[in-house]
């Protein structure tokens, strides 16, 4: 700081200088600034470096001052969704031990690239990792799907080395993700998701088990992803009742799962911190509510990062019939959602979900499935289609080519009903988590494409067909 004082005092000198004096002052000024920058940077580095846990005597940020080669032990805490500290720094040649503890609510691990890894640790569980003699920077992460992209990364930095572009280097998910083939067709044994919606069961109490599952399923011809779901289906099972019905769900987190899961029924009015809490693999909880309001509601897993759990399949529809719902010939349920493909057989990419970089938009979990297997009705039959936009992030302009909706219902209210005015609707517009239904007939035999009129998404899988009557299903021009 003395240098700074001298520099500041120079402003009181006489206003005329020789050339040598000007050069000298310039050089001193540059040196002062350089010194200041170094001091600030050193402070920042120390702020980022984790605390050192030596035998009984924690010595925060002392790592870089330890003599070369003396062993060091760090306490590493895992929680949602970070590793604390995120960075530790040691001199090259230091034997390093990590005492890892999970202080989070769901299982985590610490996996060191090219090094050891802890088992998946439940809440409160501990493990020790011996990294051996560390000579160069190392990186790590929680390898439970999605947790790295949500922020659970870790670095061991070696004194003097650059802050390793290491944290960036491992995300290959954008490059090795599975790709959709627009010309592929499903295998012969493939069965589409049944779009038929059964009427509400007779009783006023409904007891259901919802089992959170993690398994590999096909989401488009030749494309398999590890999807998380309820009862092994994407979307999860359709649930239906009437206003005033009592629903008692038992949420089971399958013991073979790796992740914590939860459920959030938008049809319920219950406290978030109780029924919607996350349970670990092997646990279960009871979620009970009375359906007080009519509509089609989303249910989904709300476990962090919720974007990943919804985007990877944990959603479905619960329908609470409006009073005096009219009779129709057919009822269907179409749930629109997006796919953000990870590598083949792996979970979807949280990074892509965060960037809204979707690969596909699908009805009932599979790209263009009702183009491959059109939904068969007869001309002049009355059809009701319930639609839910599960997202997680894309909207829906639900439209059926070749017909006009004479009835539209959205978010608990009729937008349109048949009447003397003979009004018609062409689109049911839904934001993520919104739902409704439309009713219509087909006046001629033929094929009627089902789309979202946000047409960029039609080419990405948001396309199906109704087939009215006997027609040669050639696939049409859409
Ligand atoms: Cu979940």
């Amino acid at each position: 700081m003395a240098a700074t004082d001298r520099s500041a005092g120079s402003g009181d000198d006489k206003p005329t200088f020789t050339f040598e004096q000007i050069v000298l002052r310039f050089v001193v000024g540059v040196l002062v600034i350089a010194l200041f920058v170094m001091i600030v940077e050193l402070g920042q580095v120390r702020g980022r470096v984790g605390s050192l846990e030596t035998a009984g005597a924690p010595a925060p940020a002392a790592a870089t001052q330890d003599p070369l080669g003396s062993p060091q032990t760090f306490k590493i805490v895992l929680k949602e969704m970070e590793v604390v500290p995120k960075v530790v720094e040691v001199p090259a040649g230091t034997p390093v031990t990590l005492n890892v503890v999970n202080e989070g609510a769901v299982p985590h691990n610490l996996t060191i690239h090219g090094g050891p890894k802890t088992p998946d640790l439940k809440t409160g569980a501990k493990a020790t990792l011996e990294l051996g003699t560390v000579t160069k920077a190392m990186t790590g992460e929680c390898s439970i799907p999605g947790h790295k992209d949500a922020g659970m990364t870790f670095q061991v930095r070696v004194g003097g080395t650059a802050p390793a572009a290491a944290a960036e280097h491992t995300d290959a998910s954008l490059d090795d993700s599975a790709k959709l083939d627009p010309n592929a067709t499903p295998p012969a044994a493939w069965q589409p998701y049944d779009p038929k919606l059964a009427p509400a069961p007779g009783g006023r109490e409904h007891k259901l088990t919802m089992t959170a599952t993690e398994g590999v399923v096909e989401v488009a011809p030749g494309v398999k992803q590890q999807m998380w779901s309820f009862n092994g289906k994407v979307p999860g099972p359709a649930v239906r009742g009437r206003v005033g019905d009592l629903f008692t769900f038992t949420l089971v987190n399958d013991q073979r799962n790796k992740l914590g899961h939860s459920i959030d029924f938008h049809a319920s009015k219950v406290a978030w911190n109780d029924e919607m809490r996350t349970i670990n693999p092997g646990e279960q909880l009871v979620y009970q509510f009375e359906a007080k309001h009519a509509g089609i509601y989303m249910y989904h897993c709300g476990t962090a990062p919720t974007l990943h759990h919804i985007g990877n399949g944990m959603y479905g529809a619960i329908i609470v019939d409006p009073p005096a719902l009219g009779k129709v010939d057919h009822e269907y349920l179409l749930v629109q959602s997006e796919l953000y493909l990870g590598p083949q057989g792996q979970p979807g990419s949280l990074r892509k979900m965060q960037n809204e970089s979707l690969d596909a938009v699908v009805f009932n979990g599979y790209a263009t499935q009702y183009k491959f297997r059109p939904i068969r009705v007869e001309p002049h039959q009355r059809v009701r289609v319930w639609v839910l936009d599960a997202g997680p992030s894309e909207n829906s302009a639900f439209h059926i080519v070749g017909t006009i909706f004479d009835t539209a219902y959205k978010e608990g209210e009729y937008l349109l009903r048949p009447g003397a005015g003979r009004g018609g609707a062409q689109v049911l517009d839904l934001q993520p988590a919104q739902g409704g239904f439309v009713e219509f007939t087909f006046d001629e035999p033929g094929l009627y494409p089902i789309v979202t009129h946000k047409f960029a998404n039609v080419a990405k899988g948001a396309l199906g067909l109704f087939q009215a009557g006997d027609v040669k299903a050639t696939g049409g021009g859409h």
Side-chain angles (χ1 to χ4, degrees):
M1 285 305 118
T4 308
D5 292 339
R6 192 162 59 231
S7 170
S10 66
D12 296 327
D13 290 349
K14 287 175 186 171
T16 53
F17 303 99
T18 65
F19 177 74
E20 287 80 4
Q21 282 176 319
I22 290 171
V23 169
L24 182 64
R25 278 158 195 271
F26 177 76
V27 169
V28 168
V30 167
L31 287 175
V32 166
I33 289 167
L35 182 62
F36 180 73
V37 168
M38 283 171 61
I39 289 167
V40 168
E41 287 206 331
L42 186 61
Q44 284 176 344
V45 166
R46 283 171 182 260
R48 287 196 298 266
V49 170
S51 65
L52 182 66
E53 184 188 71
T54 48
T64 52
Q65 293 169 358
D66 269 43
L68 189 71
S70 68
Q72 294 190 21
T73 300
F74 295 90
K75 179 184 178 185
I76 306 296
V77 174
L78 309 176
K79 55 186 179 179
E80 292 80 45
M81 285 288 177
E82 58 180 337
V83 180
V84 182
K86 202 176 187 61
V87 177
V88 299
E89 183 169 331
V90 295
T94 304
V96 172
T97 302
L98 304 179
N99 285 334
V100 184
V101 59
N102 179 10
E103 294 184 0
V106 300
H108 295 293
N109 67 52
L110 184 61
T111 301
I112 304 296
H113 299 138
K117 68 166 286 185
T118 70
D120 291 348
L121 301 170
K122 291 188 171 172
T123 302
K126 298 176 178 178
T128 298
L129 292 184
E130 299 291 352
L131 302 191
T133 300
V134 174
T135 54
K136 57 182 173 39
M138 303 178 87
T139 59
E141 68 199 34
C142 174
S143 71
I144 289 176
H147 290 199
K148 182 187 88 173
D149 282 348
M152 296 192 70
T153 60
F154 174 72
Q155 269 190 51
V156 179
R157 196 178 296 169
V158 172
T161 59
E168 318 294 329
H169 80 276
T170 51
D171 187 29
S173 63
L174 290 180
D175 303 317
D176 59 3
S177 59
K179 300 285 183 294
L180 290 180
D181 176 356
N183 298 316
T185 51
W190 171 79
Q191 286 297 320
Y193 189 104
D194 188 353
K196 285 196 193 74
L197 180 66
R204 305 314 302 268
E205 286 193 33
H206 311 278
K207 286 197 170 73
L208 298 122
T209 298
M210 298 292 245
T211 303
T213 58
E214 300 168 3
V216 174
V217 299
E218 192 175 73
V219 295
V223 178
K224 291 186 172 161
Q225 295 280 277
Q226 192 207 81
M227 300 297 279
W228 311 331
S229 69
F230 293 106
N231 293 4
K233 301 171 72 177
V234 180
V239 178
R240 196 169 187 185
R242 289 172 286 168
V243 176
D245 286 6
L246 183 68
F247 288 90
T248 307
F249 291 94
T250 301
L251 173 67
V252 176
N253 190 346
D254 192 301
Q255 60 181 4
R256 293 165 296 182
N257 289 347
K258 292 185 85 67
L259 303 173
H261 294 293
S262 60
I263 198 163
D264 168 356
F265 288 97
H266 290 190
S268 71
K269 296 175 78 176
V270 298
W272 167 75
N273 57 306
D274 182 12
E275 278 93 339
M276 297 181 200
R277 72 183 185 275
T278 292
I279 58 171
N280 285 314
E283 296 177 345
Q284 58 183 54
L285 67 75
V286 173
Y287 188 130
Q288 187 178 63
F289 64 93
E290 180 192 333
K292 294 175 178 165
H293 298 273
I296 171 171
Y297 296 91
M298 181 173 176
Y299 66 80
H300 64 87
C301 176
T303 297
T306 302
L307 174 63
H308 205 198
H309 287 247
I310 296 175
N312 209 45
M314 300 195 78
Y315 56 81
I318 173 168
I319 292 169
V320 182
D321 283 349
L325 188 63
K327 249 190 90 59
V328 290
D329 297 303
H330 298 282
E331 265 189 301
Y332 300 104
L333 170 63
L334 295 177
V335 180
Q336 180 184 308
S337 67
E338 305 106 65
L339 293 171
Y340 302 84
L341 299 176
Q344 183 80 342
Q346 299 295 309
S349 164
L350 177 59
R351 186 68 55 86
K352 287 185 185 176
M353 294 175 199
Q354 288 164 335
N355 294 332
E356 297 184 41
S357 177
L358 59 84
D359 291 297
V361 176
V362 298
F363 293 120
N364 290 349
Y366 193 99
T368 61
Q369 62 180 320
Y370 306 117
K371 186 186 114 182
F372 299 124
R373 300 284 173 83
I375 303 170
R376 174 63 192 264
V377 298
E378 298 303 322
H380 307 294
Q381 285 186 324
R382 187 159 189 81
V383 180
R384 177 184 297 133
V385 178
W386 293 83
V387 188
L388 175 77
D389 182 7
S393 300
E394 181 59 296
N395 61 32
S396 180
F398 185 79
H399 174 72
I400 298 176
V401 179
T403 191
I404 297 168
F405 310 141
D406 63 32
T407 302
Y409 178 97
K410 176 182 162 184
E411 291 290 288
E413 183 61 287
Y414 283 91
L415 303 176
L416 176 68
R417 303 179 93 156
R422 298 199 61 81
Q426 58 208 302
V427 157
L428 182 67
D429 61 311
L430 302 171
Q431 289 294 328
Q434 289 191 314
F437 68 77
V438 291
E439 292 178 18
F440 52 90
T441 58
F442 298 115
D443 288 1
E444 301 175 350
L447 298 172
Y448 296 86
I450 305 162
V451 298
T452 166
H453 224 279
K454 184 162 186 170
F455 252 87
N457 291 335
V458 175
K460 292 177 179 150
L463 171 64
L465 289 172
F466 272 104
Q467 178 185 335
D470 287 321
V471 269
K472 285 179 188 149
T474 59
H478 278 81

